[in-house]
mmCIF file of all heavy atoms in Angstrom:
data_model
loop_
_atom_site.group_PDB
_atom_site.id
_atom_site.type_symbol
_atom_site.label_atom_id
_atom_site.label_comp_id
_atom_site.label_asym_id
_atom_site.label_seq_id
_atom_site.Cartn_x
_atom_site.Cartn_y
_atom_site.Cartn_z
ATOM 1 N N GLY O 265 117.021 144.326 165.878
ATOM 2 C CA GLY O 265 116.953 143.127 165.041
ATOM 3 C C GLY O 265 115.704 142.983 164.189
ATOM 4 O O GLY O 265 115.439 141.908 163.643
ATOM 5 N N TYR O 266 114.896 144.059 164.068
ATOM 6 C CA TYR O 266 113.690 143.997 163.237
ATOM 7 C C TYR O 266 113.933 144.709 161.911
ATOM 8 O O TYR O 266 114.529 145.778 161.875
ATOM 9 C CB TYR O 266 112.507 144.676 163.944
ATOM 10 C CG TYR O 266 112.078 144.024 165.238
ATOM 11 C CD1 TYR O 266 112.680 144.377 166.448
ATOM 12 C CD2 TYR O 266 111.065 143.075 165.261
ATOM 13 C CE1 TYR O 266 112.284 143.789 167.640
ATOM 14 C CE2 TYR O 266 110.659 142.484 166.449
ATOM 15 C CZ TYR O 266 111.266 142.846 167.633
ATOM 16 O OH TYR O 266 110.883 142.270 168.817
ATOM 17 N N THR O 267 113.439 144.144 160.844
ATOM 18 C CA THR O 267 113.522 144.800 159.540
ATOM 19 C C THR O 267 112.301 145.701 159.347
ATOM 20 O O THR O 267 111.329 145.616 160.112
ATOM 21 C CB THR O 267 113.556 143.768 158.403
ATOM 22 O OG1 THR O 267 112.300 143.063 158.393
ATOM 23 C CG2 THR O 267 114.693 142.768 158.599
ATOM 24 N N GLU O 268 112.344 146.532 158.307
ATOM 25 C CA GLU O 268 111.174 147.367 158.004
ATOM 26 C C GLU O 268 109.972 146.495 157.635
ATOM 27 O O GLU O 268 108.832 146.828 157.947
ATOM 28 C CB GLU O 268 111.495 148.356 156.881
ATOM 29 C CG GLU O 268 110.399 149.390 156.687
ATOM 30 C CD GLU O 268 110.837 150.588 155.859
ATOM 31 O OE1 GLU O 268 112.035 150.701 155.535
ATOM 32 O OE2 GLU O 268 109.962 151.410 155.542
ATOM 33 N N ASP O 269 110.232 145.360 156.985
ATOM 34 C CA ASP O 269 109.140 144.429 156.667
ATOM 35 C C ASP O 269 108.507 143.869 157.941
ATOM 36 O O ASP O 269 107.294 143.649 157.998
ATOM 37 C CB ASP O 269 109.650 143.270 155.792
ATOM 38 C CG ASP O 269 109.920 143.712 154.356
ATOM 39 O OD1 ASP O 269 109.319 144.734 153.938
ATOM 40 O OD2 ASP O 269 110.725 143.053 153.669
ATOM 41 N N ASP O 270 109.333 143.626 158.974
ATOM 42 C CA ASP O 270 108.798 143.175 160.268
ATOM 43 C C ASP O 270 107.854 144.226 160.846
ATOM 44 O O ASP O 270 106.787 143.904 161.396
ATOM 45 C CB ASP O 270 109.931 142.924 161.275
ATOM 46 C CG ASP O 270 110.772 141.712 160.923
ATOM 47 O OD1 ASP O 270 110.244 140.797 160.266
ATOM 48 O OD2 ASP O 270 111.963 141.695 161.303
ATOM 49 N N LEU O 271 108.263 145.498 160.744
ATOM 50 C CA LEU O 271 107.425 146.584 161.230
ATOM 51 C C LEU O 271 106.081 146.604 160.510
ATOM 52 O O LEU O 271 105.023 146.730 161.136
ATOM 53 C CB LEU O 271 108.130 147.926 161.007
ATOM 54 C CG LEU O 271 108.886 148.556 162.182
ATOM 55 C CD1 LEU O 271 109.566 149.840 161.731
ATOM 56 C CD2 LEU O 271 107.946 148.850 163.327
ATOM 57 N N LYS O 272 106.132 146.469 159.173
ATOM 58 C CA LYS O 272 104.891 146.475 158.383
ATOM 59 C C LYS O 272 103.978 145.329 158.781
ATOM 60 O O LYS O 272 102.762 145.473 158.868
ATOM 61 C CB LYS O 272 105.228 146.363 156.887
ATOM 62 C CG LYS O 272 105.907 147.576 156.297
ATOM 63 C CD LYS O 272 106.234 147.313 154.828
ATOM 64 C CE LYS O 272 107.076 148.440 154.246
ATOM 65 N NZ LYS O 272 107.492 148.150 152.854
ATOM 66 N N GLU O 273 104.595 144.170 159.023
ATOM 67 C CA GLU O 273 103.807 142.976 159.320
ATOM 68 C C GLU O 273 103.250 142.997 160.744
ATOM 69 O O GLU O 273 102.072 142.720 160.965
ATOM 70 C CB GLU O 273 104.679 141.731 159.130
ATOM 71 C CG GLU O 273 103.931 140.421 159.363
ATOM 72 C CD GLU O 273 104.850 139.209 159.278
ATOM 73 O OE1 GLU O 273 105.929 139.312 158.646
ATOM 74 O OE2 GLU O 273 104.480 138.165 159.838
ATOM 75 N N LYS O 274 104.099 143.329 161.732
ATOM 76 C CA LYS O 274 103.686 143.240 163.140
ATOM 77 C C LYS O 274 102.931 144.478 163.616
ATOM 78 O O LYS O 274 102.073 144.385 164.497
ATOM 79 C CB LYS O 274 104.915 143.019 164.028
ATOM 80 C CG LYS O 274 105.641 141.693 163.790
ATOM 81 C CD LYS O 274 106.879 141.592 164.655
ATOM 82 C CE LYS O 274 107.702 140.360 164.348
ATOM 83 N NZ LYS O 274 107.006 139.096 164.649
ATOM 84 N N PHE O 275 103.276 145.645 163.080
ATOM 85 C CA PHE O 275 102.665 146.888 163.545
ATOM 86 C C PHE O 275 102.136 147.681 162.350
ATOM 87 O O PHE O 275 102.367 148.881 162.227
ATOM 88 C CB PHE O 275 103.683 147.723 164.328
ATOM 89 C CG PHE O 275 104.425 146.929 165.378
ATOM 90 C CD1 PHE O 275 105.770 146.624 165.217
ATOM 91 C CD2 PHE O 275 103.779 146.462 166.503
ATOM 92 C CE1 PHE O 275 106.456 145.882 166.165
ATOM 93 C CE2 PHE O 275 104.453 145.714 167.460
ATOM 94 C CZ PHE O 275 105.792 145.416 167.300
ATOM 95 N N GLY O 276 101.437 146.985 161.477
ATOM 96 C CA GLY O 276 100.990 147.573 160.219
ATOM 97 C C GLY O 276 100.117 148.799 160.392
ATOM 98 O O GLY O 276 100.237 149.766 159.627
ATOM 99 N N ALA O 277 99.233 148.788 161.374
ATOM 100 C CA ALA O 277 98.322 149.922 161.570
ATOM 101 C C ALA O 277 99.097 151.200 161.855
ATOM 102 O O ALA O 277 98.840 152.252 161.249
ATOM 103 C CB ALA O 277 97.360 149.615 162.716
ATOM 104 N N LEU O 278 100.078 151.121 162.776
ATOM 105 C CA LEU O 278 100.891 152.301 163.088
ATOM 106 C C LEU O 278 101.767 152.688 161.907
ATOM 107 O O LEU O 278 101.900 153.870 161.571
ATOM 108 C CB LEU O 278 101.784 152.024 164.297
ATOM 109 C CG LEU O 278 101.279 152.412 165.687
ATOM 110 C CD1 LEU O 278 102.373 152.185 166.712
ATOM 111 C CD2 LEU O 278 100.830 153.864 165.738
ATOM 112 N N TYR O 279 102.372 151.686 161.293
ATOM 113 C CA TYR O 279 103.270 151.950 160.170
ATOM 114 C C TYR O 279 102.531 152.702 159.063
ATOM 115 O O TYR O 279 103.037 153.694 158.529
ATOM 116 C CB TYR O 279 103.837 150.636 159.635
ATOM 117 C CG TYR O 279 104.829 150.801 158.500
ATOM 118 C CD1 TYR O 279 106.187 150.985 158.762
ATOM 119 C CD2 TYR O 279 104.415 150.797 157.171
ATOM 120 C CE1 TYR O 279 107.098 151.158 157.739
ATOM 121 C CE2 TYR O 279 105.309 150.969 156.131
ATOM 122 C CZ TYR O 279 106.655 151.139 156.415
ATOM 123 O OH TYR O 279 107.552 151.317 155.384
ATOM 124 N N ASN O 280 101.329 152.263 158.743
ATOM 125 C CA ASN O 280 100.550 152.919 157.683
ATOM 126 C C ASN O 280 100.115 154.316 158.107
ATOM 127 O O ASN O 280 100.192 155.269 157.317
ATOM 128 C CB ASN O 280 99.313 152.081 157.328
ATOM 129 C CG ASN O 280 99.682 150.797 156.620
ATOM 130 O OD1 ASN O 280 100.698 150.733 155.918
ATOM 131 N ND2 ASN O 280 98.869 149.757 156.793
ATOM 132 N N ALA O 281 99.677 154.463 159.353
ATOM 133 C CA ALA O 281 99.212 155.770 159.829
ATOM 134 C C ALA O 281 100.340 156.791 159.814
ATOM 135 O O ALA O 281 100.133 157.960 159.464
ATOM 136 C CB ALA O 281 98.649 155.628 161.244
ATOM 137 N N PHE O 282 101.543 156.361 160.170
ATOM 138 C CA PHE O 282 102.672 157.280 160.244
ATOM 139 C C PHE O 282 103.105 157.797 158.870
ATOM 140 O O PHE O 282 103.839 158.781 158.782
ATOM 141 C CB PHE O 282 103.855 156.615 160.959
ATOM 142 C CG PHE O 282 103.771 156.662 162.461
ATOM 143 C CD1 PHE O 282 102.564 156.894 163.101
ATOM 144 C CD2 PHE O 282 104.902 156.487 163.243
ATOM 145 C CE1 PHE O 282 102.478 156.938 164.481
ATOM 146 C CE2 PHE O 282 104.830 156.532 164.630
ATOM 147 C CZ PHE O 282 103.609 156.758 165.251
ATOM 148 N N GLN O 283 102.671 157.128 157.800
ATOM 149 C CA GLN O 283 103.011 157.609 156.452
ATOM 150 C C GLN O 283 102.370 158.975 156.170
ATOM 151 O O GLN O 283 102.831 159.727 155.316
ATOM 152 C CB GLN O 283 102.536 156.607 155.378
ATOM 153 C CG GLN O 283 103.006 155.169 155.567
ATOM 154 C CD GLN O 283 104.520 155.045 155.641
ATOM 155 O OE1 GLN O 283 105.239 155.673 154.867
ATOM 156 N NE2 GLN O 283 104.997 154.233 156.579
ATOM 157 N N PHE O 284 101.302 159.285 156.903
ATOM 158 C CA PHE O 284 100.575 160.534 156.667
ATOM 159 C C PHE O 284 101.019 161.654 157.610
ATOM 160 O O PHE O 284 100.438 162.736 157.606
ATOM 161 C CB PHE O 284 99.064 160.286 156.821
ATOM 162 C CG PHE O 284 98.530 159.271 155.860
ATOM 163 C CD1 PHE O 284 98.397 157.945 156.241
ATOM 164 C CD2 PHE O 284 98.192 159.625 154.554
ATOM 165 C CE1 PHE O 284 97.931 156.990 155.351
ATOM 166 C CE2 PHE O 284 97.719 158.680 153.663
ATOM 167 C CZ PHE O 284 97.587 157.359 154.060
ATOM 168 N N GLY O 285 102.025 161.364 158.437
ATOM 169 C CA GLY O 285 102.505 162.367 159.381
ATOM 170 C C GLY O 285 101.815 162.207 160.720
ATOM 171 O O GLY O 285 100.597 162.000 160.780
ATOM 172 N N ALA O 286 102.593 162.268 161.783
ATOM 173 C CA ALA O 286 102.032 162.077 163.125
ATOM 174 C C ALA O 286 102.511 163.196 164.037
ATOM 175 O O ALA O 286 103.666 163.598 163.985
ATOM 176 C CB ALA O 286 102.472 160.726 163.686
ATOM 177 N N PRO O 287 101.624 163.724 164.889
ATOM 178 C CA PRO O 287 102.054 164.766 165.827
ATOM 179 C C PRO O 287 102.903 164.153 166.938
ATOM 180 O O PRO O 287 102.748 162.975 167.263
ATOM 181 C CB PRO O 287 100.728 165.289 166.394
ATOM 182 C CG PRO O 287 99.817 164.095 166.344
ATOM 183 C CD PRO O 287 100.216 163.341 165.097
ATOM 184 N N PRO O 288 103.781 164.937 167.556
ATOM 185 C CA PRO O 288 104.436 164.448 168.768
ATOM 186 C C PRO O 288 103.348 164.121 169.792
ATOM 187 O O PRO O 288 102.378 164.871 169.925
ATOM 188 C CB PRO O 288 105.283 165.634 169.240
ATOM 189 C CG PRO O 288 105.378 166.545 168.055
ATOM 190 C CD PRO O 288 104.151 166.320 167.240
ATOM 191 N N HIS O 289 103.485 163.003 170.503
ATOM 192 C CA HIS O 289 102.479 162.660 171.504
ATOM 193 C C HIS O 289 103.119 161.872 172.637
ATOM 194 O O HIS O 289 104.171 161.258 172.482
ATOM 195 C CB HIS O 289 101.300 161.893 170.888
ATOM 196 C CG HIS O 289 101.667 160.715 170.048
ATOM 197 N ND1 HIS O 289 102.245 160.825 168.790
ATOM 198 C CD2 HIS O 289 101.539 159.378 170.268
ATOM 199 C CE1 HIS O 289 102.447 159.628 168.283
ATOM 200 N NE2 HIS O 289 102.036 158.722 169.161
ATOM 201 N N ALA O 290 102.485 161.938 173.802
ATOM 202 C CA ALA O 290 103.052 161.332 175.002
ATOM 203 C C ALA O 290 101.928 161.013 175.973
ATOM 204 O O ALA O 290 100.837 161.583 175.895
ATOM 205 C CB ALA O 290 104.046 162.297 175.662
ATOM 206 N N GLY O 291 102.213 160.100 176.896
ATOM 207 C CA GLY O 291 101.187 159.755 177.873
ATOM 208 C C GLY O 291 101.728 158.858 178.958
ATOM 209 O O GLY O 291 102.919 158.567 179.033
ATOM 210 N N MET O 292 100.819 158.403 179.798
ATOM 211 C CA MET O 292 101.154 157.435 180.836
ATOM 212 C C MET O 292 99.856 156.799 181.332
ATOM 213 O O MET O 292 98.765 157.177 180.903
ATOM 214 C CB MET O 292 101.947 158.074 181.970
ATOM 215 C CG MET O 292 101.193 159.042 182.808
ATOM 216 S SD MET O 292 102.120 159.750 184.210
ATOM 217 C CE MET O 292 103.666 158.956 184.215
ATOM 218 N N ALA O 293 99.982 155.843 182.267
ATOM 219 C CA ALA O 293 98.798 155.112 182.710
ATOM 220 C C ALA O 293 98.973 154.617 184.146
ATOM 221 O O ALA O 293 99.414 153.493 184.375
ATOM 222 C CB ALA O 293 98.526 153.940 181.773
ATOM 223 N N PRO O 294 98.636 155.437 185.148
ATOM 224 C CA PRO O 294 98.723 154.965 186.535
ATOM 225 C C PRO O 294 97.782 153.789 186.794
ATOM 226 O O PRO O 294 96.653 153.767 186.306
ATOM 227 C CB PRO O 294 98.281 156.197 187.350
ATOM 228 C CG PRO O 294 98.472 157.359 186.428
ATOM 229 C CD PRO O 294 98.244 156.845 185.053
ATOM 230 N N GLY O 295 98.267 152.813 187.548
ATOM 231 C CA GLY O 295 97.471 151.623 187.838
ATOM 232 C C GLY O 295 96.459 151.891 188.938
ATOM 233 O O GLY O 295 96.820 152.283 190.056
ATOM 234 N N VAL O 296 95.187 151.701 188.630
ATOM 235 C CA VAL O 296 94.121 151.984 189.590
ATOM 236 C C VAL O 296 94.161 150.994 190.758
ATOM 237 O O VAL O 296 94.002 151.376 191.919
ATOM 238 C CB VAL O 296 92.749 151.952 188.879
ATOM 239 C CG1 VAL O 296 91.615 152.146 189.890
ATOM 240 C CG2 VAL O 296 92.685 153.031 187.814
ATOM 241 N N ASP O 297 94.377 149.702 190.453
ATOM 242 C CA ASP O 297 94.430 148.692 191.521
ATOM 243 C C ASP O 297 95.546 149.017 192.521
ATOM 244 O O ASP O 297 95.359 148.889 193.734
ATOM 245 C CB ASP O 297 94.675 147.299 190.927
ATOM 246 C CG ASP O 297 93.712 146.968 189.808
ATOM 247 O OD1 ASP O 297 92.503 146.957 190.077
ATOM 248 O OD2 ASP O 297 94.158 146.739 188.672
ATOM 249 N N ARG O 298 96.692 149.412 192.016
ATOM 250 C CA ARG O 298 97.820 149.727 192.904
ATOM 251 C C ARG O 298 97.544 150.978 193.734
ATOM 252 O O ARG O 298 97.969 151.079 194.881
ATOM 253 C CB ARG O 298 99.105 149.890 192.092
ATOM 254 C CG ARG O 298 99.619 148.566 191.554
ATOM 255 C CD ARG O 298 100.917 148.718 190.803
ATOM 256 N NE ARG O 298 101.329 147.444 190.231
ATOM 257 C CZ ARG O 298 102.398 147.280 189.463
ATOM 258 N NH1 ARG O 298 103.172 148.314 189.181
ATOM 259 N NH2 ARG O 298 102.709 146.095 188.978
ATOM 260 N N MET O 299 96.853 151.952 193.130
ATOM 261 C CA MET O 299 96.493 153.151 193.886
ATOM 262 C C MET O 299 95.609 152.776 195.075
ATOM 263 O O MET O 299 95.814 153.243 196.201
ATOM 264 C CB MET O 299 95.773 154.149 192.970
ATOM 265 C CG MET O 299 96.693 154.805 191.951
ATOM 266 S SD MET O 299 95.817 155.538 190.553
ATOM 267 C CE MET O 299 94.910 156.831 191.341
ATOM 268 N N ILE O 300 94.631 151.898 194.832
ATOM 269 C CA ILE O 300 93.725 151.480 195.910
ATOM 270 C C ILE O 300 94.487 150.664 196.951
ATOM 271 O O ILE O 300 94.253 150.796 198.162
ATOM 272 C CB ILE O 300 92.534 150.683 195.331
ATOM 273 C CG1 ILE O 300 91.706 151.587 194.420
ATOM 274 C CG2 ILE O 300 91.664 150.109 196.446
ATOM 275 C CD1 ILE O 300 90.658 150.861 193.603
ATOM 276 N N MET O 301 95.413 149.828 196.489
ATOM 277 C CA MET O 301 96.227 149.038 197.413
ATOM 278 C C MET O 301 96.993 149.956 198.367
ATOM 279 O O MET O 301 97.039 149.721 199.581
ATOM 280 C CB MET O 301 97.208 148.162 196.614
ATOM 281 C CG MET O 301 98.051 147.234 197.457
ATOM 282 S SD MET O 301 99.249 146.289 196.479
ATOM 283 C CE MET O 301 100.575 147.488 196.311
ATOM 284 N N LEU O 302 97.593 151.018 197.838
ATOM 285 C CA LEU O 302 98.338 151.956 198.675
ATOM 286 C C LEU O 302 97.409 152.726 199.613
ATOM 287 O O LEU O 302 97.711 152.904 200.795
ATOM 288 C CB LEU O 302 99.113 152.938 197.798
ATOM 289 C CG LEU O 302 100.362 152.395 197.100
ATOM 290 C CD1 LEU O 302 100.872 153.402 196.068
ATOM 291 C CD2 LEU O 302 101.459 152.086 198.109
ATOM 292 N N LEU O 303 96.269 153.167 199.078
ATOM 293 C CA LEU O 303 95.344 153.980 199.881
ATOM 294 C C LEU O 303 94.706 153.187 201.018
ATOM 295 O O LEU O 303 94.268 153.761 202.010
ATOM 296 C CB LEU O 303 94.255 154.580 198.976
ATOM 297 C CG LEU O 303 94.732 155.741 198.089
ATOM 298 C CD1 LEU O 303 93.723 156.021 196.988
ATOM 299 C CD2 LEU O 303 94.961 156.993 198.929
ATOM 300 N N THR O 304 94.635 151.866 200.873
ATOM 301 C CA THR O 304 94.067 151.025 201.937
ATOM 302 C C THR O 304 95.155 150.396 202.803
ATOM 303 O O THR O 304 94.860 149.557 203.656
ATOM 304 C CB THR O 304 93.183 149.913 201.332
ATOM 305 O OG1 THR O 304 93.938 149.203 200.340
ATOM 306 C CG2 THR O 304 91.930 150.485 200.698
ATOM 307 N N ASN O 305 96.425 150.792 202.546
ATOM 308 C CA ASN O 305 97.562 150.285 203.330
ATOM 309 C C ASN O 305 97.692 148.762 203.278
ATOM 310 O O ASN O 305 98.072 148.130 204.265
ATOM 311 C CB ASN O 305 97.472 150.736 204.793
ATOM 312 C CG ASN O 305 97.945 152.159 204.960
ATOM 313 O OD1 ASN O 305 98.954 152.561 204.387
ATOM 314 N ND2 ASN O 305 97.193 152.939 205.716
ATOM 315 N N GLU O 306 97.352 148.180 202.139
ATOM 316 C CA GLU O 306 97.540 146.743 201.953
ATOM 317 C C GLU O 306 98.874 146.495 201.251
ATOM 318 O O GLU O 306 99.287 147.283 200.403
ATOM 319 C CB GLU O 306 96.401 146.146 201.109
ATOM 320 C CG GLU O 306 95.030 146.192 201.781
ATOM 321 C CD GLU O 306 94.908 145.240 202.953
ATOM 322 O OE1 GLU O 306 95.843 144.444 203.182
ATOM 323 O OE2 GLU O 306 93.870 145.306 203.657
ATOM 324 N N GLU O 307 99.532 145.396 201.587
ATOM 325 C CA GLU O 307 100.814 145.073 200.967
ATOM 326 C C GLU O 307 100.666 144.118 199.785
ATOM 327 O O GLU O 307 101.607 143.920 199.033
ATOM 328 C CB GLU O 307 101.760 144.468 202.008
ATOM 329 C CG GLU O 307 102.168 145.481 203.073
ATOM 330 C CD GLU O 307 103.233 144.962 204.006
ATOM 331 O OE1 GLU O 307 103.654 143.798 203.828
ATOM 332 O OE2 GLU O 307 103.646 145.708 204.908
ATOM 333 N N ASN O 308 99.478 143.502 199.656
ATOM 334 C CA ASN O 308 99.250 142.566 198.547
ATOM 335 C C ASN O 308 98.003 142.984 197.793
ATOM 336 O O ASN O 308 96.947 143.215 198.389
ATOM 337 C CB ASN O 308 99.097 141.140 199.082
ATOM 338 C CG ASN O 308 99.209 140.102 197.971
ATOM 339 O OD1 ASN O 308 98.512 140.154 196.965
ATOM 340 N ND2 ASN O 308 100.118 139.149 198.154
ATOM 341 N N ILE O 309 98.126 143.063 196.480
ATOM 342 C CA ILE O 309 97.027 143.560 195.641
ATOM 343 C C ILE O 309 95.804 142.647 195.686
ATOM 344 O O ILE O 309 94.676 143.075 195.440
ATOM 345 C CB ILE O 309 97.534 143.770 194.195
ATOM 346 C CG1 ILE O 309 96.696 144.831 193.481
ATOM 347 C CG2 ILE O 309 97.580 142.444 193.416
ATOM 348 C CD1 ILE O 309 97.348 145.410 192.258
ATOM 349 N N ARG O 310 96.004 141.369 196.040
ATOM 350 C CA ARG O 310 94.879 140.431 196.132
ATOM 351 C C ARG O 310 93.869 140.872 197.194
ATOM 352 O O ARG O 310 92.680 140.539 197.109
ATOM 353 C CB ARG O 310 95.398 139.033 196.483
ATOM 354 C CG ARG O 310 96.149 138.336 195.363
ATOM 355 C CD ARG O 310 96.949 137.155 195.892
ATOM 356 N NE ARG O 310 96.120 136.215 196.641
ATOM 357 C CZ ARG O 310 95.412 135.234 196.102
ATOM 358 N NH1 ARG O 310 95.447 135.050 194.797
ATOM 359 N NH2 ARG O 310 94.690 134.425 196.846
ATOM 360 N N GLU O 311 94.348 141.647 198.181
ATOM 361 C CA GLU O 311 93.470 142.053 199.282
ATOM 362 C C GLU O 311 92.426 143.089 198.857
ATOM 363 O O GLU O 311 91.435 143.290 199.572
ATOM 364 C CB GLU O 311 94.300 142.620 200.437
ATOM 365 C CG GLU O 311 95.281 141.642 201.049
ATOM 366 C CD GLU O 311 94.604 140.420 201.658
ATOM 367 O OE1 GLU O 311 93.459 140.547 202.144
ATOM 368 O OE2 GLU O 311 95.214 139.329 201.650
#
C-alpha cells in the first residue's frame, strides 16, 4: 500500500543511495541481554 513517493518521503536516504547501485547485503543482530538471561538460567530479563 505504499507509493514510490511514500518511499522517497519516509525512506529518502535509502531511496537516494540505491539510485547509485547497491551490493547484495545481509545481516542479523543477536540480543545481548537475552544471551545473558539464558547463560544465567534466568526466566525473566529483568533479573
Side-chain angles (χ1 to χ4, degrees):
Y266 297 87
T267 65
E268 189 164 353
D269 286 337
D270 290 333
L271 262 177
K272 291 178 187 175
E273 182 185 338
K274 296 177 186 296
F275 311 109
L278 267 186
Y279 182 88
N280 290 331
F282 278 19
Q283 307 303 317
F284 300 96
H289 51 288
M292 69 177 356
V296 176
D297 309 300
R298 288 182 184 177
M299 289 161 65
I300 296 170
M301 183 183 82
L302 286 169
L303 286 165
T304 53
N305 280 317
E306 294 290 354
E307 293 187 0
N308 194 306
I309 206 162
R310 289 164 55 85
E311 298 299 329

